[in-house]
Amino acid sequence: MPYIRETILTTCSASGAVHIAPLGIIQEGEGWVVAPFRPSTTLANLEATGVAVVNYTDEVKIFAGCLTGRKDWPLTPIDGCKVPRLEAALAHDVLDVVSVTPDAQRPRFTCRVAASGQHRPFQGMNRAKAAVLEAAILVSRLTMLPAEKIEDEIAYLKIAIDKTAGPDEEQAWYWLLEKVIDHLAEVEKEK
């Protein structure tokens, strides 16, 4: 199995419009593979500019927010790069696309790290942050999973939220839970 790092990717369109999206990047040798699904803004931006910024952050509200329509997060410019980084990034890597493997559903952009930066120290993880991240991944796959699997996963992840969440993790959890509840209600209506 490949090593996948869960990140927030910032990209820009040819006209400079910034897009923020959670995306797992795949380690390949000294570089990374970015494999967004078709169609997506991230894919279009990579095709247009060949540049992405990988934001390494422990701010789970950003993961949850991006998946629930909350994409207005503070950005900071990077010297020598047209794509900004998240202000909340602990660190970042600027990725330049070096090759593309075409695919009808999910092309693979092989990238090299062109620049990196460190911004603040990592203060540690807790179970609630991990649970929110897992719930965010679950929300990104709602249409691919049966309702029972979704309900079981949410019930299990809620244990960590109940035991270890601070205010930010609770807010992120409820944003995601709203999305899950809406999806399950739609599934029930279709029965």
Side-chain angles (χ1 to χ4, degrees):
M1 293 296 287
Y3 174 72
I4 298 173
R5 186 176 286 171
E6 299 301 332
T7 70
I8 303 291
L9 214 64
T10 48
T11 57
C12 284
S13 67
S15 65
V18 178
H19 180 68
I20 303 170
L23 192 76
I25 60 173
I26 306 158
Q27 187 174 32
E28 192 168 273
E30 296 294 311
W32 295 96
V33 172
V34 179
F37 284 98
R38 189 179 300 279
S40 72
T41 303
T42 298
L43 175 62
N45 289 352
L46 281 172
E47 289 174 332
T49 68
V51 177
V53 173
V54 178
N55 295 273
Y56 304 109
T57 183
D58 58 355
E59 177 53 70
V60 293
K61 280 176 66 175
I62 298 172
F63 287 91
C66 286
L67 289 163
T68 59
R70 297 162 176 91
K71 294 188 175 196
D72 189 21
W73 300 98
L75 300 168
T76 299
I78 299 170
D79 289 339
C81 181
K82 58 189 160 197
V83 180
R85 69 171 177 86
L86 286 173
E87 189 177 288
L90 302 170
H92 77 273
D93 286 332
V94 176
L95 301 183
D96 286 339
V97 175
V98 294
S99 67
V100 180
T101 305
D103 185 82
Q105 183 180 17
R106 199 171 187 192
R108 294 170 57 91
F109 294 81
T110 301
C111 303
R112 71 173 181 85
V113 177
S116 296
Q118 300 286 321
H119 311 295
R120 60 186 176 92
F122 175 61
Q123 299 292 318
M125 203 50 136
N126 73 12
R127 289 177 59 207
K129 285 183 184 290
V132 169
L133 182 59
E134 287 299 324
I137 294 166
L138 181 72
V139 164
S140 75
R141 291 163 170 74
L142 288 176
T143 59
M144 299 178 228
L145 298 170
E148 184 177 300
K149 170 75 171 162
I150 295 166
E151 291 167 348
D152 289 348
E153 291 291 319
I154 290 297
Y156 176 73
L157 295 170
K158 188 175 183 313
I159 295 167
I161 297 298
D162 290 344
K163 288 184 175 183
T164 67
D168 286 347
E169 293 82 20
E170 286 177 348
Q171 179 68 69
W173 175 258
Y174 287 111
W175 288 344
L176 294 168
L177 196 56
E178 265 183 343
K179 193 90 167 172
V180 169
I181 290 167
D182 290 348
H183 172 75
L184 293 175
E186 283 299 314
V187 168
E188 193 60 34
K189 266 198 251 180
E190 292 172 8
K191 287 184 178 180

